[in-house]
């Protein structure tokens, strides 16, 4: 359960923004979307490998100059 303490002079919009950030960090929505349809473990592993290679290419150490 997420608890957001609203300060005296804080607007509701700012408190809602903090709540949304906290909620997104928990990963509940991502988990819910992944559970809507079954995905075989082999397919899940393959997509993770593809994402990892993409991240490595994009953010990895580039020795080219």
């Amino acid at each position: 359960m997420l608890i957001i303490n609203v300060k005296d002079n804080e607007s509701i919009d700012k408190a809602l923004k903090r709540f949304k950030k906290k909620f997104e960090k928990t990963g509940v929505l991502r988990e819910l979307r992944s559970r809507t349809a079954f995905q075989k473990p082999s397919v899940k592993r393959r997509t993770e490998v593809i994402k990892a290679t993409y991240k490595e290419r994009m953010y990895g150490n580039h020795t080219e100059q």
Side-chain angles (χ1 to χ4, degrees), residues 38-50:
F38 179 75
Q39 191 177 26
K40 290 180 7 181
S42 60
V43 174
K44 191 181 291 186
R45 214 172 312 121
R46 190 181 320 132
T47 56
E48 285 178 5
V49 168
I50 291 170

Side-chain angles (χ1 to χ4, degrees), residues 1-2 7 11-13 18 23 28 31 37 40 43 49 56-57 62 65:
M1 183 162 155
L2 292 175
K7 297 168 180 99
S11 69
I12 299 297
D13 293 332
R18 283 193 299 133
F23 183 74
V28 173
E31 177 87 16
K40 290 180 7 181
V43 174
V49 168
E56 183 65 31
R57 247 186 271 131
H62 295 289
Q65 291 203 23

Side-chain angles (χ1 to χ4, degrees), residues 5-44:
N5 294 327
V6 181
K7 297 168 180 99
D8 291 335
N9 294 330
E10 187 179 24
S11 69
I12 299 297
D13 293 332
K14 284 190 178 187
L16 187 61
K17 189 174 184 178
R18 283 193 299 133
F19 172 77
K20 286 180 182 179
K21 276 187 186 178
K22 258 189 182 181
F23 183 74
E24 191 165 321
K25 282 185 182 180
T26 60
V28 173
L29 203 56
R30 195 175 333 122
E31 177 87 16
L32 182 69
R33 287 188 180 137
S34 69
R35 289 181 181 220
T36 54
F38 179 75
Q39 191 177 26
K40 290 180 7 181
S42 60
V43 174
K44 191 181 291 186

